[in-house]
Amino acid sequence: DQQVKQNSPSLSVQEGRISILNCDYTNSMFDYFLWYKKYPAEGPTFLISISSIKDKNEDGRFTVFLNKSAKHLSLHIVPSQPGDSAVYFCAASGRRDDKIIFGKGTRLHILP
Amino acid sequence: NAGVTQTPKFQVLKTGQSMTLQCAQDMNHEYMSWYRQDPGMGLRLIHYSVGAGITDQGEVPNGYNVSRSTTEDFPLRLLSAAPSQTSVYFCASSYSPGGQPQHFGDGTRLSIL
């Protein structure tokens, strides 16, 4: 039973436009949500996070939005750049659970 | 500052062989974990540890053993390799699991014939 779902396996976006990656979760006990970026043959690297007490967190070109009532979060990248082409993973954890659960990932292609 | 170091980077095993994947971190992180990445399956948690001497099972623990005798090291053991364990394995660490960014190694690509 998937607790963290990324329903779009891939996404193509024109360079300079906005990329929106989505993530849904089922466990209402999750308190922290993180996004990771992964290039081929490398380990994932941390991108941005948000705690359940906030509904938005921004870091440069990256913004994460959290809708707790819908159990949905999204990552916005604007403007999209060629180096953003990678696989993006959504991850979640709770204060009372030491497990960190990842989604299946979304492959983002930035088109020239 | 090396971060999280995984060895080996590549390994081919025959069914039934045993092997230990090594993971070491130099950031004095208490929390360490092992994931496997398979096509279309994302990153699935195998085992994790909240500190030396303490380990617990993740989502897919069967066929794997772990121990945590020191803060720095968290080896993953395959006692009798099976083709279903062909995967890319990632080790990660952080100060704590709660909301802290995980630092990942570059992975071990393991093939079981």
Side-chain angles (χ1 to χ4, degrees):
Chain A
D1 183 26
Q2 263 189 287
Q3 297 187 63
V4 178
K5 301 177 186 179
Q6 292 178 258
N7 292 321
S8 298
S10 67
L11 175 69
S12 295
V13 174
Q14 208 76 33
E15 181 179 355
R17 305 294 289 267
I18 183 171
S19 295
I20 300 175
L21 296 96
N22 294 305
C23 178
D24 297 296
Y25 61 95
T26 58
N27 189 341
S28 59
M29 300 300 288
F30 286 146
D31 293 302
Y32 305 104
F33 304 91
L34 301 92
W35 285 94
Y36 290 82
K37 177 179 181 179
K38 185 184 180 305
Y39 293 121
E42 294 182 9
T45 54
F46 169 73
L47 203 52
I48 192 169
S49 64
I50 190 167
S51 76
S52 58
I53 62 172
K54 294 185 173 182
D55 54 20
K56 177 183 174 182
N57 189 26
E58 192 171 353
D59 184 1
R61 296 186 299 114
F62 304 92
T63 303
V64 56
F65 296 92
L66 176 62
N67 182 334
K68 287 186 289 294
S69 61
K71 294 191 178 67
H72 175 82
L73 61 155
S74 60
L75 174 67
H76 293 212
I77 306 172
V78 56
S80 299
Q81 297 176 353
D84 296 331
S85 292
V87 177
Y88 290 78
F89 289 101
C90 172
S93 64
R95 281 192 197 90
R96 298 175 189 173
D97 192 340
D98 297 324
K99 295 176 185 172
I100 302 170
I101 305 299
F102 282 77
K104 292 186 177 182
T106 296
R107 184 176 299 277
L108 177 64
H109 300 272
I110 304 302
L111 306 171
Chain B
N1 198 2
V4 178
T5 303
Q6 289 185 239
T7 55
K9 293 193 185 308
F10 304 95
Q11 185 71 47
V12 179
L13 291 177
K14 293 182 179 178
T15 298
Q17 285 186 313
S18 63
M19 151 145 218
T20 299
L21 307 187
Q22 301 292 346
C23 176
Q25 53 91 7
D26 61 0
M27 297 171 282
N28 202 31
H29 285 165
E30 290 294 330
Y31 185 83
M32 295 186 75
S33 55
W34 277 101
Y35 291 86
R36 59 179 288 175
Q37 184 189 14
D38 302 294
M41 299 298 290
L43 290 159
R44 291 184 293 170
L45 181 64
I46 305 171
H47 285 286
Y48 63 97
S49 169
V50 298
I54 306 168
T55 64
D56 208 341
Q57 296 181 350
E59 302 171 273
V60 288
N62 292 341
Y64 306 95
N65 280 350
V66 291
S67 60
R68 185 94 179 270
S69 56
T70 67
T71 300
E72 295 78 19
D73 299 299
F74 191 42
L76 179 72
R77 278 183 283 277
L78 286 72
L79 295 179
S80 179
S84 61
Q85 294 178 304
T86 293
S87 188
V88 181
Y89 290 85
F90 290 100
C91 178
S93 75
S94 68
Y95 286 110
S96 72
Q100 294 291 320
Q102 298 295 301
H103 297 258
F104 282 84
D106 284 336
T108 294
R109 186 174 295 275
L110 184 62
S111 293
I112 316 295
L113 304 178

